[in-house]
């Protein structure tokens, strides 16, 4: 996440429609002192740090050199005059493939939405999220304890004036399910998530002379069902809910303190990494899992050309009795960097990064790496 001053402005006006093309090419050169899952080696994602070797991906000998251009990004904004007011649209892609394309430079959709007046529809930052607390870092994945989710949504912003904003949205549902010890009892069940109802999210944000503060909330239905014919065909719904408090505090002319605290049950899908929404209790009944996430970072400008950022983030799940020992329990993430901006369109920086993971049974893993990046913005 980089300062907006690095973004160039290439605007075109055609037939009254204004287009702004933007993006950057980024080359990352990483030395990893340990190893991570090979599909995620371009970034430090704590949940992909191997723990129980051998057998886990990425459990080779310590030490690996990684060259990558996967952070490269391009997008276009458009402003379209209409009889109902100005229509704002955004379409943006990057080269970080996920899912079956993990580890590849497959184009991945980041944003695709339109906004007219107080109504927004499409994919963008979740209304439960505050993107401004992301540290000024060259690492891609970012703090695991941060609410970080681009989601398809229908958003209404009835208040947007005087530095205040109220936004309410229905968002695409999802659920991270851990069947845990249930699989030992009946492996034929094939439990999977069930998304019957949309998630309801909202936030209130106030901009002040010293920075901003945002309070957000979420209520969601986390469901499960069997995808196979079995002796029993269980299904059900549990309620998940949580809150997110975030702030950016101005220090001097350009420095910033960035902080966030999140707590809830069944909301792990909205945090940046790891965690489960729904798992089995000791009696093997479905229960939403409590989760805490937090971050604290400081962005400091030495002068107009040099800056640094440092801080720490954690995510902790209160595991249920029915989860197995290899269930994700917690992760940590920290960094310190030195970044140089020779011009508004070029950034060169070096960053020291550390990540850790702990499972329910107490098993732990960690990873330390150093990254140097060149970013060319257009």
């Amino acid at each position: 996440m980089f300062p907006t001053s690095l973004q160039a402005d290439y605007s075109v006006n055609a037939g009254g429609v204004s287009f702004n093309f933007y993006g950057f090419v980024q080359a990352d050169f990483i030395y990893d002192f340990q190893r991570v899952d090979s599909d995620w080696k371009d970034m430090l994602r704590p949940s992909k740090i191997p723990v129980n070797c051998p057998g886990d991906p990425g459990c080779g000998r310590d030490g690996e050199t990684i060259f990558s251009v996967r952070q490269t990004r391009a997008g276009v904004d458009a402003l379209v005059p209409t009889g109902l007011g100005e229509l704002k649209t955004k379409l943006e892609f990057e080269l970080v493939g996920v899912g079956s394309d993990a580890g590849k430079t497959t184009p991945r959709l980041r944003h695709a939405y339109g906004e007219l007046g107080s109504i927004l529809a499409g994919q963008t930052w979740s209304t439960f999220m505050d993107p401004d607390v992301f540290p000024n870092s060259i690492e891609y994945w970012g703090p695991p304890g941060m609410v970080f989710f681009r989601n398809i949504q229908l958003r209404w912003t009835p208040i947007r004036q005087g530095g205040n904003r109220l936004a309410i949205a229905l968002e695409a549902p999802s659920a991270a399910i851990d069947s845990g010890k249930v699989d030992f009892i009946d492996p034929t069940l094939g439990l999977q998530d069930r998304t019957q109802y949309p998630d309801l999210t909202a936030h209130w944000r106030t901009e002040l002379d010293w920075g901003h503060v945002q309070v957000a909330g979420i209520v969601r239905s986390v469901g499960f069902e069997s995808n196979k014919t079995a002796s029993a065909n269980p299904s059900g719904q549990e309620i998940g809910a949580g809150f997110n408090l975030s702030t950016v505090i101005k220090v001097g002319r350009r420095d910033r303190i960035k902080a966030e605290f999140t707590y809830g049950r069944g909301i792990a899908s909205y945090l940046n990494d790891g965690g489960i929404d729904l798992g089995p209790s000791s009696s093997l009944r479905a229960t939403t899992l409590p989760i805490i996430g937090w971050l604290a970072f400081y962005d400091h400008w030495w002068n107009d050309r040099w800056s640094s950022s440092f801080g720490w983030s954690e995510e902790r799940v209160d595991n249920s009795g029915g989860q197995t020992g290899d269930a994700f329990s917690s992760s940590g993430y920290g960094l310190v960097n030195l970044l140089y901006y020779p011009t508004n369109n070029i950034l060169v920086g070096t960053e020291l990064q550390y990540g850790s993971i702990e499972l329910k049974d107490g098993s732990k893993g960690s990873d330390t790496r150093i990254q140097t990046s060149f970013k060319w913005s257009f």
Side-chain angles (χ1 to χ4, degrees):
M1 186 71 66
F2 296 91
T4 55
S5 61
L6 285 179
Q7 297 296 337
D9 183 12
Y10 297 103
S11 299
V12 176
N13 191 290
V17 180
S18 176
F19 296 93
N20 179 51
F21 299 90
Y22 65 90
F24 58 81
V25 175
Q26 182 168 331
D28 299 325
F29 303 90
I30 304 165
Y31 185 77
D32 195 339
F33 292 93
Q34 284 85 39
R35 300 288 286 273
V36 299
D37 185 320
S38 59
D39 286 340
W40 300 92
K41 64 183 181 180
D42 310 74
M43 58 204 70
L44 182 53
R45 184 177 180 182
S47 67
K48 298 301 180 180
I49 297 173
V51 176
N52 296 314
C53 295
D56 280 0
C59 282
R61 293 179 178 271
D62 286 350
E64 183 177 21
T65 295
I66 303 152
F67 289 1
S68 175
V69 294
R70 294 179 69 198
Q71 290 202 56
T72 296
R73 185 183 307 170
V76 58
D77 295 322
L79 299 177
V80 185
T82 75
L84 297 176
E86 187 175 62
L87 171 63
K88 302 176 182 179
T89 65
K90 178 185 284 287
L91 183 63
E92 183 178 293
F93 293 87
E94 63 186 5
L95 299 182
V96 180
V98 297
S100 60
D101 291 321
K104 303 176 183 178
T105 54
T106 305
R108 177 193 183 193
L109 181 67
R110 286 173 56 87
H111 299 278
Y113 69 86
E115 184 175 20
L116 181 63
S118 62
I119 301 299
L120 180 149
Q123 176 172 302
T124 189
W125 305 121
S126 168
T127 304
F128 188 53
M129 173 184 168
D130 182 355
D132 293 328
V133 299
F134 200 102
N136 188 21
S137 166
I138 55 176
E139 197 275 318
Y140 173 81
W141 197 261
M146 177 183 175
V147 173
F148 193 106
F149 193 27
R150 290 183 294 270
N151 204 9
I152 302 172
Q153 60 194 276
L154 177 61
R155 182 192 298 176
W156 176 42
T157 308
I159 298 176
R160 186 185 285 156
Q161 60 185 8
N164 297 316
R165 184 176 72 211
L166 172 65
I168 305 168
L170 294 176
E171 303 198 21
S174 60
I177 304 297
D178 181 5
S179 54
K181 297 177 182 178
V182 174
D183 286 343
F184 298 155
I185 305 300
D186 189 348
T188 68
L189 290 180
L191 293 180
Q192 63 181 15
D193 66 301
R194 183 187 183 202
T195 54
Q196 185 176 4
Y197 305 109
D199 297 345
L200 175 63
T201 60
H203 74 236
W204 175 269
R205 181 181 176 115
T206 298
E207 301 280 352
L208 300 164
D209 292 340
W210 54 263
H212 82 262
V213 61
Q214 179 172 306
V215 180
I218 182 172
V219 178
R220 60 199 309 247
S221 173
V222 186
F224 70 97
E225 62 186 359
S226 173
N227 65 359
K228 297 180 180 179
T229 301
S231 56
N233 188 21
S235 65
Q237 301 280 344
E238 297 293 326
I239 299 298
F243 72 92
N244 176 26
L245 175 63
S246 59
T247 186
V248 175
I249 301 172
K250 299 177 182 179
V251 180
R253 186 170 68 94
R254 300 183 68 177
D255 288 12
R256 299 291 185 268
I257 297 172
K258 300 178 177 181
E260 181 177 273
F261 178 82
T262 306
Y263 174 78
R265 297 182 66 102
I267 64 168
S269 295
Y270 281 78
L271 271 76
N272 197 18
D273 187 39
I276 294 295
D277 296 315
L278 194 70
S281 67
S282 297
S283 60
L284 302 186
R285 298 181 64 86
T287 182
T288 52
L289 302 182
I291 189 168
I292 291 175
W294 66 270
L295 65 87
F297 283 85
Y298 189 85
D299 292 345
H300 173 66
W301 285 84
W302 302 99
N303 53 46
D304 288 341
R305 296 297 180 189
W306 294 87
S307 77
S308 292
S309 183
F310 61 91
W312 185 257
S313 175
E314 288 187 353
E315 175 185 18
R316 295 187 175 274
V317 177
D318 187 2
N319 295 113
S320 62
Q323 289 186 279
T324 56
D326 60 354
F328 174 90
S329 179
S330 67
S331 64
Y333 172 99
L335 61 85
V336 60
N337 62 34
L338 181 63
L339 309 179
Y340 174 56
Y341 312 83
T343 73
N344 286 340
N345 297 81
I346 299 174
L347 179 147
V348 182
T350 297
E351 188 169 271
L352 179 65
Q353 305 152 3
Y354 175 82
S356 64
I357 182 175
E358 182 173 355
L359 306 182
K360 180 186 174 183
D361 64 6
S363 301
K364 298 179 180 180
S366 64
D367 188 35
T368 303
R369 50 176 50 196
I370 188 166
Q371 175 176 331
T372 297
S373 297
F374 295 79
K375 179 182 178 184
W376 322 94
S377 300
F378 59 87

